[in-house]
Amino acid sequence: MPTEYDILVELAQDLPGGEVSPVMPFLSLVVNLNISTLAHRDRFDKDICLVLPLGDFRGRALVMFEQRLVFELRSGDFAIFRSAETTHFNLQYEGKHASFVCHMDKSFDTWKDARNGWASNIHFN
């Protein structure tokens, strides 16, 4: 997915003050602790997301409905997919489980184009 990666890097490098995202090329990190999700799409996510499960658990497969895929991710494995276009959820599990979900909001495109209306402000140039 080199094209998607390049697009995210370009956007992430455009943070105010030259800041760098700690989850580059993504700008957002969600930490889930001991939960199973319902089927959903992340309609505000841009392009791709990364899911990284951690912990001492059994079960908790990641399901991608339209693709008819079930991934038995172990602690430290990761999956990258188009979360806005894919209905996904995770199954029940036993044990202790956390997951890191890295993504970028589609709304960041408006930041890149016009700094959310602040493009002419000297502090954002």
Side-chain angles (χ1 to χ4, degrees), residues 9-82:
V9 166
E10 181 182 344
L11 288 171
Q13 289 176 338
D14 211 15
L15 290 174
E19 293 297 319
V20 177
S21 170
V23 290
M24 179 72 109
F26 303 98
L27 291 180
S28 299
L29 170 66
V30 175
V31 179
N32 295 312
L33 300 173
N34 290 320
I35 65 164
S36 291
T37 60
L38 298 175
H40 67 284
R41 290 184 184 192
D42 298 300
R43 64 186 177 121
F44 297 114
D45 282 2
K46 179 170 181 59
D47 297 327
I48 56 176
C49 81
L50 180 143
V51 176
L52 171 70
L54 299 170
D56 182 16
F57 59 90
R58 287 188 314 276
R60 205 218 169 260
L62 173 63
V63 178
M64 296 181 189
F65 183 76
E66 291 83 4
Q67 294 83 357
R68 297 178 179 239
L69 295 173
V70 178
F71 293 102
E72 292 285 344
L73 299 175
R74 299 169 305 209
S75 183
D77 290 344
F78 65 90
I80 298 174
F81 62 99
R82 296 182 181 283

Side-chain angles (χ1 to χ4, degrees), residues 64-115:
M64 296 181 189
F65 183 76
E66 291 83 4
Q67 294 83 357
R68 297 178 179 239
L69 295 173
V70 178
F71 293 102
E72 292 285 344
L73 299 175
R74 299 169 305 209
S75 183
D77 290 344
F78 65 90
I80 298 174
F81 62 99
R82 296 182 181 283
S83 52
E85 301 169 9
T86 301
T87 304
H88 57 283
F89 58 97
N90 60 305
L91 299 176
Q92 296 293 320
Y93 65 93
E94 294 178 11
K96 294 182 180 179
H97 177 273
S99 64
F100 291 167
V101 181
C102 299
H103 66 96
M104 183 180 296
D105 288 344
K106 288 178 184 174
S107 64
F108 201 76
D109 288 336
T110 61
W111 170 259
K112 179 172 177 26
D113 295 338
R115 303 290 192 267

Side-chain angles (χ1 to χ4, degrees), residues 111 113-125:
W111 170 259
D113 295 338
R115 303 290 192 267
N116 292 352
W118 288 83
S120 62
N121 186 296
I122 62 169
H123 300 288
F124 291 107
N125 292 323

